[in-house]
Structure formats: structure tokens, C-alpha cells
Amino acid sequence: MGFQTQIRDALSELEAAGLLRRPLQISGPQGPEVEIDGRRVLCFCSNNYLGLADHPSLVAAATASARGEGVGAAASRLITGTMDAHREAESAYADFVGAPAAILFSTGYAANVGTVPALAGPDDAIFSDALNHASLIDGCRLSRANVHVYSHRDVGHLESLLREHRPKSRRALVITDSVFSMDGGAAPLRELSSLARFFDAGLLVDEAHALGVFGPEGRGLAAALGVEPDVVVGTLGKSLGVAGAFVAASEDIVSLIRSRARSFVYSTAPPPMVARASIAALELVRKANDARDALLANAAKLRAALRSLGFEIPNGDSQILPILIGENDRTMQLSAKLLARGVFVQGIRPPTVPEGTARLRLTPMATHRPEQIERAIEAFASLCRQE
Ligand SMILES: *Cc1c(COP(=O)(O)O)cnc(C)c1O
């Protein structure tokens, strides 16, 4: 059989399993409403939680940088790509999360697949939550460390794995999302931190969905709980509305990452204007207490209303609302029906979530007005009446 035919078969299999992905196209900026095929719809699936993606201050910072510093970074950071913008951004991130140093990556995905293997190798053990983000899972695989997966948020299970496997390994690293991206629950960071300390393991916390939302000035869930992880990953494409990620840690850890993380060493540095826009975003995020309150109030209102309509939403009080459906095709059909009613809510299928747990993942923004939240609830209510 020819290669092209084999590929066609692979596509047919995905299609039959309800797993073929066809992204919708957005015209114009990201916001509480977006334009799809010439139609304005409410957007309830972006990670642009605070509405900063098209904020004038970020646009001004990016524009001024493009005029003054150009667009491209010309090379890897280690060749000729380290520019003033990168250094200034890194000190702003370190300062934000209260770490001695930080290092900028092009994306959160690149940060995780680079950082985990830089910190743990074949002689080491990694202890990883079962629902960690795909980029952490891929980082674990690339590290060739012995990876022990503990049940989701199960501190007892983690402790027994540490007891069994920690003594056999050189270094050990405990890895977790802080707010889980597809479930919205929070990691038990205090317990994880004391276990890591007891077993002489490092703790890496990925704050992708908590940065900007939780903690004083939006500094993340670890800051909210008074936990000091050895390594904090923060992404710049979600609440901060830009793109990229940083890893904040001690000078030594950051030095090791700078020399060993392959996604840093062998990749062109992010455009300076992206770094400048993220600095502008950090300044806004620090002052965004009202927006954080509005975001979590919108989430609470939706959660209560959808539950009373009979939808199953697991416990949690973050801005991420998973509406469990189960079956892949049915999930995508519900997503299409909501879109027809003017509300864009993405369906999430395996392997992003475990088999049989396909879901709608609803994420409000701080900038959704009460009337827009009502319209979203009404769209779900009309689904219920029709079914
Ligand atoms: C989104 C996400 C990432 C990836 O970040 P990008 O900047 O989108 O590549 C990493 N970790 C977690 C927990 C995420 O939710």
C-alpha cells in the first residue's frame, strides 16, 4: 500500500473514532466575542482570561519594540539571539514570582519539553500527576528518567511511590500542574511541597492556568498557598495574552536549563516584541484584582446555572469548567449546537483527556458582561429543552 493511501487510512480511522480535528477560524482579535465565518459569537473557550490579548498597552509595547528592535531575534539565544528585551523580561518574571532568576521560552510546550530533561535523566526518578499537561508528559518521556505516575492529586499514592522508588535514584523531581488545564481542579501544593522536601526531591509546578488568576497580584497558586517550588513554569499566552513561557528558579537551576534545555539551545529566540508585550502584560496583571474577581464571579455564576440545568461539572473553584459528556461524537455535536446558538464552547476529546471522558470545556473571561453570561446560560438551557 502506498504511503498516501496509508495516511488516508489513518485519517479515516480518526474520523470513525470521532477524533478528527478541524479547528474553526477566527477573524479579527480574540475577545469575549469573536468572529467566525462573518458571524459574531460569544467565546467561552479561550485562555485569554483577563482579556489582555488585544489590550492597547500590549499592542503599543509590541509596536514600539518592532519599530526600535525589529521583528526577528536572528538566532538561538546562545548564538546571537539574547537581546535587551529578553533579559528585561526575564528579570520581570523572576521578580513577579519571587524567584532569583528566570529564563524565557517561545512557548509553554517548549519550556516543559526542554526543562524536564534538563533537570532529570536516566539515573533519576520523576513523580508525575496522572493528569499533567501533555507538554510535561512529553518532557518526562524525553528525559529518559524513570517516570512514576501518581493518581490525580493523590498525595498518599505519591508518598508510597516516593518511598519505594526514591532510594533507588540519584535525583528526584515531583511534577504537577497547579490548576489542571482540562479539569480545573487545584493541586495540593502544600502537601506536595512537604513530601518533596521530606524525600529530598525537587518540585516543579506548572502555573499555566493559575498565573494572573490566583495569588497576590496574580502570582499563581503557589504564591496563594505560600509554597515555594524549586521550579515554576509560567506561560505568557494565557492570562497574559501574549505568547511564550518562562521558567523561574534558582540561578543554578536556570543556568543548567540555559545550557541543557534543547528547546532553548536549538531554537531561535522569541521576537523581542513578544518579550516587551509580556512585560507590559505583567504590569497590568499585577493591578488586575477587579478583573480576577470578575473572572471568578463569572465562573461561579456559570457553574451554578449549568449544574441546576443538570450538567455534570466536577468540584473546583477555578475559571475552568469541564462539562462531562463522555462520548466523543456527542461532545462535538453539543459544541456544534451551541455554536449554532451563538456560543463557542470547544469539545475536548482523548488523548487530551482520558478515554470516555470527552467534555465541553467552558472558560469565561473577566470581560464577559453579565448579559453575555446570561446568553450563554440560555444557550445551554435551550439545548436541554431540545434534547
Ligand atoms: C497551555 C499549557 C502549556 C503550554 O503552553 P503554550 O504556551 O500554550 O505552549 C503548558 N502547560 C500547561 C499546564 C498548559 O495548560
Side-chain angles (χ1 to χ4, degrees):
M1 205 192 318
F3 185 69
Q4 295 289 350
T5 315
Q6 290 173 321
I7 297 296
R8 173 85 29 94
D9 286 352
L11 278 175
S12 310
E13 266 174 43
L14 275 184
E15 174 101 64
L19 292 176
L20 195 62
R21 293 164 190 240
R22 296 188 182 86
L24 295 172
Q25 190 164 325
I26 307 290
S27 308
Q30 293 287 347
E33 285 187 359
V34 293
E35 188 186 317
I36 299 177
D37 294 334
R39 199 168 139 243
R40 306 281 308 165
V41 296
L42 288 169
C43 180
F44 277 92
C45 47
S46 89
N47 303 320
N48 177 23
Y49 300 126
L50 302 178
L52 295 181
D54 65 342
H55 192 284
S57 301
L58 275 62
V59 174
T63 313
S65 166
R67 291 223 172 84
E69 302 173 288
V71 174
S76 159
R77 289 283 297 283
L78 299 181
I79 306 294
T80 177
T82 291
M83 302 170 72
D84 289 343
H86 300 128
R87 275 297 162 81
E88 286 171 36
E90 286 171 346
S91 67
Y93 311 139
D95 179 62
F96 185 54
V97 297
I103 177 169
L104 175 66
F105 283 85
S106 307
T107 67
Y109 186 86
N112 285 336
V113 297
T115 295
V116 176
L119 301 180
D123 298 329
D124 304 322
I126 296 176
F127 300 85
S128 176
D129 187 287
L131 294 191
N132 275 345
H133 191 262
S135 55
L136 290 171
I137 295 172
D138 292 355
C140 289
R141 289 178 179 154
L142 283 170
S143 75
R144 290 180 287 149
N146 296 304
V147 179
H148 307 286
V149 176
Y150 59 91
S151 308
H152 182 46
R153 301 196 289 180
D154 186 337
V155 178
H157 189 209
L158 171 61
E159 179 170 1
S160 71
L161 288 175
L162 279 163
R163 226 172 260 298
E164 184 179 351
H165 300 287
R166 174 67 187 99
K168 295 181 250 169
S169 43
R170 181 183 60 171
R171 290 199 290 265
L173 185 62
V174 176
I175 295 184
T176 187
D177 284 19
S178 65
V179 169
F180 286 85
S181 54
M182 297 300 141
D183 284 63
L189 292 184
R190 285 198 184 122
E191 292 81 355
L192 297 183
S193 171
S194 32
L195 270 182
R197 199 150 292 168
F198 183 79
F199 285 96
D200 199 15
L203 175 64
L204 182 153
V205 176
D206 181 344
E207 296 266 31
H209 292 280
L211 210 76
V213 178
F214 294 103
E217 301 188 313
R219 285 189 267 125
L221 190 66
L225 297 173
V227 169
E228 291 183 12
D230 299 277
V231 186
V232 170
V233 178
T235 58
L236 307 170
K238 289 169 178 160
S239 286
L240 275 78
V242 189
F246 65 85
V247 179
S250 67
E251 298 277 3
D252 285 344
I253 290 175
V254 167
S255 278
L256 191 61
I257 293 170
R258 199 180 290 121
S259 293
R260 298 251 326 256
R262 295 169 66 86
S263 57
F264 179 83
V265 176
Y266 297 108
S267 187
T268 301
M273 65 180 183
V274 166
R276 297 282 183 201
S278 76
I279 297 173
L282 268 185
E283 283 166 20
L284 295 174
V285 161
R286 282 178 179 248
K287 294 182 288 190
N289 284 340
D290 290 348
R292 280 185 272 283
D293 291 347
L295 172 65
L296 294 175
N298 281 343
K301 190 161 177 196
L302 282 166
R303 187 180 282 112
L306 296 182
R307 276 187 182 148
S308 73
L309 288 170
F311 290 99
E312 188 188 335
I313 303 177
N315 286 332
D317 45 20
S318 76
Q319 74 283 17
I320 299 171
L321 283 73
I323 304 169
L324 289 176
I325 308 296
E327 208 251 321
N328 299 337
D329 281 335
R330 184 168 144 70
T331 305
M332 299 320 286
Q333 282 156 12
L334 289 173
S335 172
K337 285 180 181 171
L338 286 166
L339 189 61
R341 289 161 171 79
V343 182
F344 182 23
V345 182
Q346 192 56 268
I348 309 284
R349 290 165 283 176
T352 311
V353 293
E355 208 62 54
T357 71
R359 65 200 62 187
L360 296 167
R361 176 179 177 276
L362 188 75
T363 50
M365 295 171 55
T367 45
H368 280 126
R369 298 186 307 274
E371 158 270 318
Q372 294 175 313
I373 299 290
E374 290 303 333
R375 260 201 284 154
I377 294 168
E378 177 45 37
F380 277 93
S382 117
L383 265 192
C384 293
R385 287 195 296 271
Q386 191 212 25
E387 296 249 315

